[in-house]
């Protein structure tokens, strides 16, 4: 039944999820609200059934089309960084992927806009988000490097793909007082980077070493 699928059994059970949450806490995630959201988000629904037994391991997993579902620690860390301080009413996510990070972000904002360049991934993500009752998320099939100009500005922008530089378009779409979180770097080395906007000034912090798929241009049907 739907309830069993959402709550999980065996390798996807509450005990397995509690173990993951404890691991994230031990690895430095402090925001208990976010740990709760990770505990309550059925990650096994966002991956192929064949990999369900690994759903609550703290590891990235393939989702097809050369993309991955991010490691839970990375999802928790990026969410915690984005949500630090003020409530972010309106958020833009670059790279919907399977929709897992989207589902974790959704409780923390009033409006969530998410861009994905690979149409089949977006179609699957839409079904999963609807199934979880997250109908308020706005999805767009587009090149994420351009952001979502017609809906800007955003209080928060989170990009789940790495680039050597932060696209100017994304900085321009950040509201005054807004925050952007994304990995910056190349195939060899990437650093989780936070940018806070203060008027025309952008204050940048470089934090953790991470591994993400590269930012790619164009769209796929």
């Amino acid at each position: 039944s739907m309830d069993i699928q959402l709550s999980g059994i065996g390798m996807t059970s509450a005990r397995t999820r509690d173990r993951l949450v404890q691991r994230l806490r031990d690895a430095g995630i402090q925001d208990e609200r976010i740990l709760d959201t990770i505990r309550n988000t059925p990650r096994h629904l966002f991956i192929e059934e064949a990999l369900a037994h690994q759903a609550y391991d703290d590891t990235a997993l393939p989702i097809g089309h050369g993309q991955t579902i991010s490691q839970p620690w990375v999802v928790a860390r990026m969410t915690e960084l984005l949500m630090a301080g003020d409530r972010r009413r309106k958020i833009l996510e670059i790279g919907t992927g399977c929709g897992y990070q989207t589902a974790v972000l959704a409780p923390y904002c009033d409006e969530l806009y998410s861009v994905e360049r690979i149409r089949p991934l977006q179609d699957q993500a839409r079904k999963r988000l609807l199934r979880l009752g997250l109908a308020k998320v706005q999805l767009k099939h587009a090149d994420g490097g351009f952001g979502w100009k017609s809906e800007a500005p955003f209080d928060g922008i989170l990009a789940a793909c790495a680039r050597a530089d932060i696209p100017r378009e994304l900085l321009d779409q950040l509201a005054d007082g807004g925050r952007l979180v994304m990995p910056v770097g190349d195939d060899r080395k990437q650093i989780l980077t936070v940018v806070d906007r203060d008027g025309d000034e952008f204050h940048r912090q470089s934090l953790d070493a991470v591994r993400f798929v590269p930012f790619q241009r164009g769209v796929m049907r």
Side-chain angles (χ1 to χ4, degrees), residues 63 67-68 95-100 102 114-116 121-122 125 128:
I63 55 170
Q67 306 298 301
T68 56
T96 316
C98 63
Y100 177 66
T102 322
S114 188
V115 179
E116 173 55 55
L121 284 181
Q122 189 196 40
R128 291 173 184 133

Side-chain angles (χ1 to χ4, degrees), residues 80-187:
E80 189 173 60
L81 286 169
L82 194 68
M83 294 307 150
D86 302 341
R87 179 174 171 80
R88 310 227 173 255
R89 205 179 56 75
K90 190 174 185 181
I91 290 178
L92 172 66
E93 177 189 36
I94 306 296
T96 316
C98 63
Y100 177 66
Q101 171 78 74
T102 322
V104 172
L105 274 177
Y108 300 101
C109 55
D110 301 334
E111 298 173 67
L112 179 51
Y113 296 82
S114 188
V115 179
E116 173 55 55
R117 58 182 285 276
I118 301 170
R119 175 50 70 64
L121 284 181
Q122 189 196 40
D123 290 343
Q124 288 171 336
R126 178 178 278 111
K127 287 183 189 130
R128 291 173 184 133
L129 294 168
L130 285 173
R131 193 174 162 189
L132 294 175
L134 300 174
K136 71 173 183 181
V137 181
Q138 303 287 321
L139 301 178
K140 182 179 182 183
H141 179 234
D143 182 326
F146 300 116
W148 194 327
K149 201 169 177 185
S150 62
E151 293 297 340
F154 299 96
D155 305 313
I157 298 177
L158 183 150
C161 38
R163 262 182 63 147
D165 60 326
I166 298 170
R168 183 74 229 178
E169 291 93 338
L170 297 187
L171 294 173
D172 288 343
Q173 290 175 33
L174 204 53
D176 192 6
R179 168 170 277 200
L180 175 144
V181 179
M182 78 174 275
V184 175
D186 55 26
D187 302 342

Side-chain angles (χ1 to χ4, degrees), residues 20 23-24 27 43 54-60 70-74:
L20 170 63
R23 199 172 296 143
L24 298 181
R43 191 172 184 248
Q54 289 180 268
Y56 299 97
D57 293 349
D58 189 22
T59 182
S70 292
Q71 176 190 355
W73 177 83
V74 168

